[in-house]
Amino acid sequence: MKKLVLLFAAGVLLLGACADPSMTEESQKESPSSDQSESNTKKVENEEKQETKQPFKPLEPSEDAVSLKKSLSEKEQQEIPEMQAALGGNSERTVPLGETLAKGVKDPSHGPLKDHRLVAYYGTPDSENMGILGEMEPEEYMKKLKEQTQAYSDADPDRPAVPTIELITTMAQSEPGPDGDYVRMTSEENIETYVELAEKHDALVLLDIQLGKDTVMEQVKMVEKWLKHPQVHLAIDTEFHVAEGEKPGEDLGQVDGKEIQKAVEYVSELTEKNDLPDKIVLVHQFTGDVLTNKDAIQPTDNVEVAINFDGWGASADKQALYGKYIRDEPKQYGAFKIFYDKDVPVLEPEDVLKMDPSPAIVNYQ
């Protein structure tokens, strides 16, 4: 979620030229133009609406929670830039400790990331091998998700965390399938189950699309009916978008940032037309090759953009690559995926929050 200055100035001149000569100077000062009053009223109503219609509730920090800046000693804070340099990054932070918005960019929206952090559990009920979501029944899953989310609210009480369901909605396949697009969509029943689960628990949903040989926009339109839900947002998995003669999972896919931007603008228009709370588009990236023309990706006034570093392995290497693809190629917000079974070691929330910038979305698989 700006050009009114010149129009307003012109309006003031016009008002002065057309003013009733019988009006005193004082009465004119006390009688703002109806256009200006209407504009101010609409602005206030819009701000109030944006503030009140957010469909989620963050998990409030525990009473004894202490901000990261206070919990770290001065020596520990000085050691963070040194650690960044050792990982191949800059020896100085680009943004203050705990800040999620990348250096030099703004967020004009009223979206969830402006004042909160999202903690997501990734997966699909169609597979136990694609993330924790497929390993548990919905209520058990939500209980564990809230426990992990609470850890982030306590580690950074200045930015309370929101439990978020990241549901693989279209899953890439090794076989072409009836449509020849190497993608299988989960059932509408599954999607409704997790959208309703989010509503019940004041959580959010990220619908993840894996593309196969389909286009970004075709996939977005497939999930459009759910994107019209206030608490539902979009995630795009770039690595599974393959070319003719290739197979997802065997060949590394690639998405052009221009295609991502079409989705951002489409979601932005959808949000405006349906009077929805501002949205998020999360883009997964674990290497430079999977996302080309990255500069084309730009947030809008009502769509926040986060680039998610989505690799697994040695945590030190992951932190260095987060610096390369997120800090050094800033879009708006950064995100970071943690693999419970593949990362060595599995980073604690405090370690994640020290990163530069601090991830606005942390998802677990």
Side-chain angles (χ1 to χ4, degrees):
M1 317 156 173
K2 317 183 189 146
K3 298 179 182 175
L4 297 177
V5 176
L6 293 177
L7 292 176
F8 175 72
V12 171
L13 292 174
L14 182 61
L15 179 63
C18 300
D20 186 339
S22 64
M23 291 180 67
T24 65
E25 182 177 348
E26 182 177 351
S27 65
Q28 289 185 43
K29 290 180 180 179
E30 294 175 352
S31 304
S33 71
S34 59
D35 289 344
Q36 182 184 347
S37 298
E38 184 178 352
S39 175
N40 290 340
T41 300
K42 287 182 178 179
K43 181 179 179 181
V44 170
E45 289 176 351
N46 183 59
E47 289 176 351
E48 290 176 347
K49 183 175 67 172
Q50 290 284 3
E51 290 175 359
T52 58
K53 70 177 184 178
Q54 289 292 357
F56 63 86
K57 290 182 181 178
L59 298 189
E60 294 301 323
S62 304
E63 290 185 5
D64 58 350
V66 179
S67 69
L68 188 64
K69 291 180 180 179
K70 291 182 179 179
S71 64
L72 290 177
S73 68
E74 186 174 338
K75 179 181 178 182
E76 287 174 317
Q77 292 190 43
Q78 290 175 346
E79 288 173 350
I80 294 174
E82 296 173 4
M83 178 188 70
Q84 290 178 180
L87 294 173
N90 299 321
S91 60
E92 297 182 3
R93 296 191 67 90
T94 62
V95 296
L97 178 65
E99 177 62 58
T100 57
L101 194 61
K103 182 180 180 180
V105 300
K106 297 180 180 180
D107 183 356
S109 78
H110 294 270
L113 302 183
K114 200 157 190 176
D115 299 306
H116 303 93
R117 176 175 285 103
L118 271 55
V119 177
Y121 271 177
Y122 177 94
T124 170
D126 296 329
S127 173
E128 295 181 359
N129 301 318
M130 290 293 291
I132 195 168
L133 187 148
E135 300 172 6
M136 300 179 176
E137 292 300 312
E139 287 296 340
E140 181 187 6
Y141 159 89
M142 182 55 71
K143 180 181 178 181
K144 186 171 179 62
L145 170 58
K146 283 186 174 181
E147 290 173 355
Q148 185 64 79
T149 304
Q150 186 67 55
Y152 280 88
S153 286
D154 291 345
D156 186 6
D158 296 330
R159 189 174 295 276
V162 181
T164 303
I165 300 165
E166 187 168 2
L167 174 67
I168 303 172
T169 313
T170 57
M171 182 161 47
Q173 306 290 301
S174 59
E175 298 298 327
D179 296 328
D181 56 12
Y182 288 81
V183 171
R184 178 167 60 87
M185 188 168 183
T186 192
S187 68
E188 293 197 2
E189 180 182 0
N190 279 339
I191 298 175
E192 291 294 346
T193 294
Y194 285 92
V195 170
E196 290 173 2
L197 184 69
E199 290 177 342
K200 177 181 177 181
H201 291 274
D202 298 311
L204 293 176
V205 181
L206 284 163
L207 294 183
D208 186 272
I209 53 177
Q210 291 192 348
L211 303 177
K213 290 188 178 178
D214 208 352
T215 67
V216 173
M217 285 308 306
E218 284 298 321
Q219 294 275 298
V220 171
K221 290 174 182 178
M222 286 172 64
V223 300
E224 178 176 332
K225 62 182 279 188
W226 291 286
L227 289 172
K228 292 180 180 178
H229 286 253
Q231 74 279 11
V232 177
H233 303 260
L234 178 67
I236 302 172
D237 250 325
T238 54
E239 65 182 281
F240 296 105
H241 183 238
V242 294
E244 196 62 38
E246 298 179 338
K247 292 183 179 181
E250 295 181 12
D251 300 286
L252 184 63
Q254 185 178 85
V255 175
D256 191 316
K258 295 177 182 177
E259 300 304 309
I260 300 289
Q261 187 60 21
K262 289 179 183 178
V264 171
E265 293 172 3
Y266 191 87
V267 172
S268 182
E269 185 176 350
L270 189 73
T271 301
E272 289 182 1
K273 284 184 176 179
N274 294 276
D275 193 30
L276 296 166
D278 292 345
K279 297 283 189 182
I280 299 167
V281 172
L282 176 69
V283 184
H284 290 268
Q285 178 187 16
F286 80 93
T287 184
D289 293 337
V290 301
L291 184 57
T292 62
N293 290 320
K294 194 172 178 179
D295 288 343
I297 305 172
Q298 299 294 333
T300 69
D301 284 357
N302 53 18
V303 172
E304 297 173 315
V305 172
I307 307 297
N308 184 55
F309 179 71
D310 183 17
W312 56 268
S315 292
D317 294 339
K318 291 182 58 172
Q319 289 171 291
L321 290 170
Y322 177 88
K324 179 178 180 180
Y325 296 123
I326 310 301
R327 180 192 62 224
D328 297 343
E329 299 176 358
K331 289 288 90 188
Q332 191 178 36
Y333 291 100
F336 190 75
K337 181 181 274 191
I338 294 175
F339 290 76
Y340 280 126
D341 297 330
K342 295 182 177 181
D343 286 355
V344 184
V346 175
L347 293 176
E348 294 295 329
E350 291 79 5
D351 297 316
V352 175
L353 297 180
K354 293 175 186 177
M355 294 164 67
D356 178 24
S358 186
I361 301 175
V362 187
N363 45 7
Y364 286 80
Q365 181 170 337

